[in-house]
Amino acid sequence: PLKERGAYYRWLFFAAGPVEAAWTNKSLGFVVPPGRERMAGYGTFERTIDTLEQAVSGRDYICGDRFSAADVYVGSQIGFGMQFGGFDRRPAFTSYWERISARPAHLRGNEIDGAMPPPPPVAAG
């Protein structure tokens, strides 16, 4: 619906922009100097992750009552972040990821991935 379109774009772009930048910078050991947060485009890692936590708290899906492509993207950011230690395993993240990853299409995709042969080795060059 039209009323959910704003939230849809907001959270897609938030995950692709601020969340990705904050997580990458944290992984590289970059810390935004105090007082310079506005120059980073996302503020601080902590504020970005707190905002993401609020977005997935108290609702089943990021844009309201229905699953959308925004859930695929935001959910994969959260799942990846928790899997590789980039995000704390906050209750809201864990609950959201459990809902998203329990969907039949996600489970089916994992089955397909698991049945694929490993890629061939890359030749040294």
Side-chain angles (χ1 to χ4, degrees):
L2 186 58
K3 69 178 186 167
E4 295 172 350
R5 190 173 300 166
Y8 174 80
Y9 288 124
R10 176 186 185 188
W11 297 116
L12 272 178
F13 289 116
F14 184 77
V19 172
E20 184 72 28
W23 190 78
T24 298
N25 284 345
K26 180 184 178 203
S27 298
L28 295 172
F30 177 77
V31 178
V32 177
R36 308 295 294 265
E37 295 87 1
R38 289 183 181 205
M39 293 183 73
Y42 59 85
T44 65
F45 176 81
E46 293 77 17
R47 185 169 181 204
T48 301
I49 300 308
D50 289 347
T51 300
L52 186 61
E53 179 182 28
Q54 289 173 354
V56 298
S57 296
R59 63 178 67 119
D60 287 338
Y61 303 110
I62 191 96
C63 296
D65 298 329
R66 296 180 327 150
F67 180 81
S68 71
D71 292 294
V72 173
Y73 194 72
V74 171
S76 58
Q77 288 273 26
I78 289 172
F80 184 87
M82 289 192 308
Q83 180 179 0
F84 293 102
F87 299 171
D88 294 333
R89 290 185 173 273
R90 298 178 183 191
F93 290 160
T94 302
S95 176
Y96 180 71
W97 176 244
E98 286 172 355
R99 274 192 306 284
I100 300 304
S101 63
R103 293 181 52 81
H106 178 82
L107 298 172
R108 211 168 35 253
N110 281 345
E111 286 177 17
I112 292 168
D113 285 348
M116 294 179 68
V122 177

